[in-house]
Amino acid sequence: MSWGTDQPGYPPEQPQGYGYGYGYGSGGDQQQQPYGQPQYGGPPYPQQYDDHDQQGYAPEYAPADYSAYPVAEQVPEQVSGDTAQLPTVEPPPSEGEFTAATEAGAEAELRGRESEPEPAPAPDAPPKPAGRDRYFDTLRAVALVRVVTYHTFGWAWAGMVFPSMGIMFALAGTLMAKSLERPALKVIRSRIRRLLPPFWFWGFFVVVAMLIHDWMPGWQIVYWIVPLGDPPGNAWGEQAWEILWYLRTYLWFVLLSPLLLRVFRLAPVAVLVLSLAPILVVHFLWEPPDDRFGSALTDLATFLFCWILGFAHRDGVLQRLKPFAVVVLSFAAIGYAGWYAFTHQAETGSYDLDDIPLAQAFWSAGFVTLLMYAKAHFRIDFAGLARFKRLDRIVTIFNARAVTLYLWHEIALILAVPLIDQFWNVPAFETYLPLESQWFMFGIGWILIAVFILLCGWVEDVAAKKKPRLLP
């Protein structure tokens, strides 16, 4: 039996917008979901050093005949007046002494050059961070918190305050560009291996639960094995499986990245700007079909700029751009997205960016560009986060268990409703706890998320070929 919106503490139903937002057109079995549209949501570069000429620290000298040299006469120590003392003239060395001294001097010079520190990188070269980048880790952790918050309260403005989806795709694009320094096939295989086992483990429970509740899939069940399209399901489990649009879009970006990165490097700035063209085409010139293909195409067009922006950050393209141009263009994109969202509420019933792909694309483009450019321009690393041990620990766990947190958070929110219902049977809880508050459900949801991380997070370790642990 599904948990409807008439349960205590359950958020009100949100209006459904643009074709189930990002990629919910897998057939006629979708129902309106209560929380609103789901969403999920300075790497090193080779330094340029001056080449040092290592040839011939000591030239070869031909032996000389010193017997023909005139003998120096003795110079008096003092001269008239107050002139200084003159140096004593030493006799020239013999041939053997000359050769030994020359070789010793060459060795000393060579040792001196080898001990000299390497020249500092150019001022515009990105720094090479040690270990993980805490700035990116923090952005990813905040994005996950915002996802859970949005799915609890359904606030339409949440996506404008912090566009989690665009941030997540940009960070993933940066890491993908870094990984593609290795053979592309090996990188793609590694990414798929890290993604699918946690998805299969989670999907097993969801599929079994839907089968128990009278769901009988067709051949489309293959999308529960490799989510290249929206996996099928029934209305009973929709709140759990509807978030899979992000995994599907991420997987397609991973498969397309070798080609996208090659095209990007032909003309980086031009390709970055033109990566907004597909969403304009999809919105104004050609409407994709209302099926799995159309949903996937719309999502790819919506977040293509953010993925390419990750490439630009990794390759140092952002750092070479002029601050004035970046700031002006970013705010122009944000302004256009806000104007379009607020002036087209009649079409979707809300200004929620999740219901308006065009506004989502431009708002994310401008907002995430500012975040990534600030990282590149100001060399932000959040290294000081290590001083706050507990907060730093939370950021570490969220990043190591990002897939687990994203997949299981909706199930945690679903289970929070019947759990809170049981609290009403305890008089003390009914009297002293705010059981009707969505904030209370938000807190219970996070407790259940922590339980799922402990119980299921080890699958991510297995997928990464690491020793399974309760917490990273």
Side-chain angles (χ1 to χ4, degrees), residues 329-343:
L329 292 177
S330 296
F331 277 106
I334 292 173
Y336 173 71
W339 169 82
Y340 191 89
F342 282 102
T343 57

mmCIF file of all heavy atoms in Angstrom, residues 329-343:
data_model
loop_
_atom_site.group_PDB
_atom_site.id
_atom_site.type_symbol
_atom_site.label_atom_id
_atom_site.label_comp_id
_atom_site.label_asym_id
_atom_site.label_seq_id
_atom_site.Cartn_x
_atom_site.Cartn_y
_atom_site.Cartn_z
ATOM 1 N N LEU A 329 28.668 37.636 -18.232
ATOM 2 C CA LEU A 329 27.940 36.590 -18.953
ATOM 3 C C LEU A 329 27.213 35.648 -17.993
ATOM 4 O O LEU A 329 26.104 35.191 -18.286
ATOM 5 C CB LEU A 329 28.905 35.806 -19.837
ATOM 6 C CG LEU A 329 29.501 36.577 -21.020
ATOM 7 C CD1 LEU A 329 30.496 35.715 -21.781
ATOM 8 C CD2 LEU A 329 28.403 37.067 -21.958
ATOM 9 N N SER A 330 27.824 35.365 -16.851
ATOM 10 C CA SER A 330 27.171 34.480 -15.878
ATOM 11 C C SER A 330 25.898 35.111 -15.333
ATOM 12 O O SER A 330 24.844 34.457 -15.250
ATOM 13 C CB SER A 330 28.139 34.158 -14.741
ATOM 14 O OG SER A 330 29.257 33.431 -15.209
ATOM 15 N N PHE A 331 25.976 36.375 -14.953
ATOM 16 C CA PHE A 331 24.778 37.036 -14.430
ATOM 17 C C PHE A 331 23.734 37.245 -15.529
ATOM 18 O O PHE A 331 22.531 37.258 -15.250
ATOM 19 C CB PHE A 331 25.156 38.365 -13.786
ATOM 20 C CG PHE A 331 25.636 38.220 -12.372
ATOM 21 C CD1 PHE A 331 26.968 38.344 -12.044
ATOM 22 C CD2 PHE A 331 24.727 37.930 -11.356
ATOM 23 C CE1 PHE A 331 27.409 38.204 -10.737
ATOM 24 C CE2 PHE A 331 25.144 37.789 -10.041
ATOM 25 C CZ PHE A 331 26.499 37.924 -9.740
ATOM 26 N N ALA A 332 24.178 37.392 -16.764
ATOM 27 C CA ALA A 332 23.220 37.495 -17.867
ATOM 28 C C ALA A 332 22.446 36.188 -18.022
ATOM 29 O O ALA A 332 21.219 36.190 -18.227
ATOM 30 C CB ALA A 332 23.952 37.845 -19.161
ATOM 31 N N ALA A 333 23.148 35.059 -17.917
ATOM 32 C CA ALA A 333 22.478 33.760 -18.010
ATOM 33 C C ALA A 333 21.513 33.558 -16.848
ATOM 34 O O ALA A 333 20.378 33.084 -17.038
ATOM 35 C CB ALA A 333 23.522 32.642 -18.036
ATOM 36 N N ILE A 334 21.938 33.917 -15.636
ATOM 37 C CA ILE A 334 21.061 33.785 -14.475
ATOM 38 C C ILE A 334 19.835 34.696 -14.611
ATOM 39 O O ILE A 334 18.699 34.284 -14.308
ATOM 40 C CB ILE A 334 21.846 34.113 -13.189
ATOM 41 C CG1 ILE A 334 22.908 33.046 -12.927
ATOM 42 C CG2 ILE A 334 20.903 34.229 -11.992
ATOM 43 C CD1 ILE A 334 23.835 33.374 -11.770
ATOM 44 N N GLY A 335 20.062 35.916 -15.077
ATOM 45 C CA GLY A 335 18.950 36.836 -15.252
ATOM 46 C C GLY A 335 17.940 36.340 -16.275
ATOM 47 O O GLY A 335 16.724 36.433 -16.056
ATOM 48 N N TYR A 336 18.435 35.818 -17.387
ATOM 49 C CA TYR A 336 17.528 35.297 -18.409
ATOM 50 C C TYR A 336 16.730 34.111 -17.870
ATOM 51 O O TYR A 336 15.514 34.006 -18.101
ATOM 52 C CB TYR A 336 18.319 34.889 -19.642
ATOM 53 C CG TYR A 336 17.486 34.186 -20.683
ATOM 54 C CD1 TYR A 336 16.541 34.884 -21.434
ATOM 55 C CD2 TYR A 336 17.629 32.816 -20.908
ATOM 56 C CE1 TYR A 336 15.757 34.237 -22.381
ATOM 57 C CE2 TYR A 336 16.857 32.162 -21.854
ATOM 58 C CZ TYR A 336 15.918 32.880 -22.590
ATOM 59 O OH TYR A 336 15.141 32.224 -23.515
ATOM 60 N N ALA A 337 17.414 33.219 -17.154
ATOM 61 C CA ALA A 337 16.723 32.048 -16.610
ATOM 62 C C ALA A 337 15.649 32.460 -15.613
ATOM 63 O O ALA A 337 14.528 31.923 -15.637
ATOM 64 C CB ALA A 337 17.736 31.115 -15.952
ATOM 65 N N GLY A 338 15.972 33.419 -14.728
ATOM 66 C CA GLY A 338 14.980 33.867 -13.756
ATOM 67 C C GLY A 338 13.794 34.536 -14.415
ATOM 68 O O GLY A 338 12.631 34.293 -14.038
ATOM 69 N N TRP A 339 14.088 35.380 -15.413
ATOM 70 C CA TRP A 339 12.997 36.043 -16.132
ATOM 71 C C TRP A 339 12.095 35.023 -16.805
ATOM 72 O O TRP A 339 10.860 35.112 -16.719
ATOM 73 C CB TRP A 339 13.578 36.993 -17.181
ATOM 74 C CG TRP A 339 12.546 37.509 -18.146
ATOM 75 C CD1 TRP A 339 11.692 38.533 -17.959
ATOM 76 C CD2 TRP A 339 12.248 36.952 -19.445
ATOM 77 N NE1 TRP A 339 10.873 38.682 -19.066
ATOM 78 C CE2 TRP A 339 11.195 37.718 -19.995
ATOM 79 C CE3 TRP A 339 12.779 35.896 -20.197
ATOM 80 C CZ2 TRP A 339 10.670 37.456 -21.256
ATOM 81 C CZ3 TRP A 339 12.245 35.631 -21.445
ATOM 82 C CH2 TRP A 339 11.207 36.416 -21.967
ATOM 83 N N TYR A 340 12.680 34.029 -17.457
ATOM 84 C CA TYR A 340 11.867 33.045 -18.175
ATOM 85 C C TYR A 340 11.041 32.204 -17.205
ATOM 86 O O TYR A 340 9.864 31.914 -17.446
ATOM 87 C CB TYR A 340 12.765 32.131 -19.012
ATOM 88 C CG TYR A 340 11.983 31.267 -19.971
ATOM 89 C CD1 TYR A 340 11.682 31.717 -21.256
ATOM 90 C CD2 TYR A 340 11.514 30.011 -19.582
ATOM 91 C CE1 TYR A 340 10.944 30.939 -22.129
ATOM 92 C CE2 TYR A 340 10.782 29.229 -20.446
ATOM 93 C CZ TYR A 340 10.497 29.694 -21.715
ATOM 94 O OH TYR A 340 9.759 28.916 -22.574
ATOM 95 N N ALA A 341 11.652 31.812 -16.072
ATOM 96 C CA ALA A 341 10.930 30.974 -15.113
ATOM 97 C C ALA A 341 9.726 31.707 -14.525
ATOM 98 O O ALA A 341 8.635 31.136 -14.412
ATOM 99 C CB ALA A 341 11.881 30.531 -14.003
ATOM 100 N N PHE A 342 9.887 32.964 -14.164
ATOM 101 C CA PHE A 342 8.803 33.700 -13.524
ATOM 102 C C PHE A 342 7.743 34.164 -14.512
ATOM 103 O O PHE A 342 6.591 34.386 -14.127
ATOM 104 C CB PHE A 342 9.364 34.900 -12.755
ATOM 105 C CG PHE A 342 9.985 34.530 -11.444
ATOM 106 C CD1 PHE A 342 11.353 34.450 -11.307
ATOM 107 C CD2 PHE A 342 9.188 34.244 -10.343
ATOM 108 C CE1 PHE A 342 11.936 34.103 -10.094
ATOM 109 C CE2 PHE A 342 9.747 33.898 -9.126
ATOM 110 C CZ PHE A 342 11.129 33.829 -8.992
ATOM 111 N N THR A 343 8.098 34.322 -15.767
ATOM 112 C CA THR A 343 7.119 34.767 -16.765
ATOM 113 C C THR A 343 6.409 33.613 -17.457
ATOM 114 O O THR A 343 5.520 33.843 -18.272
ATOM 115 C CB THR A 343 7.796 35.646 -17.825
ATOM 116 O OG1 THR A 343 8.871 34.925 -18.446
ATOM 117 C CG2 THR A 343 8.329 36.924 -17.200
#
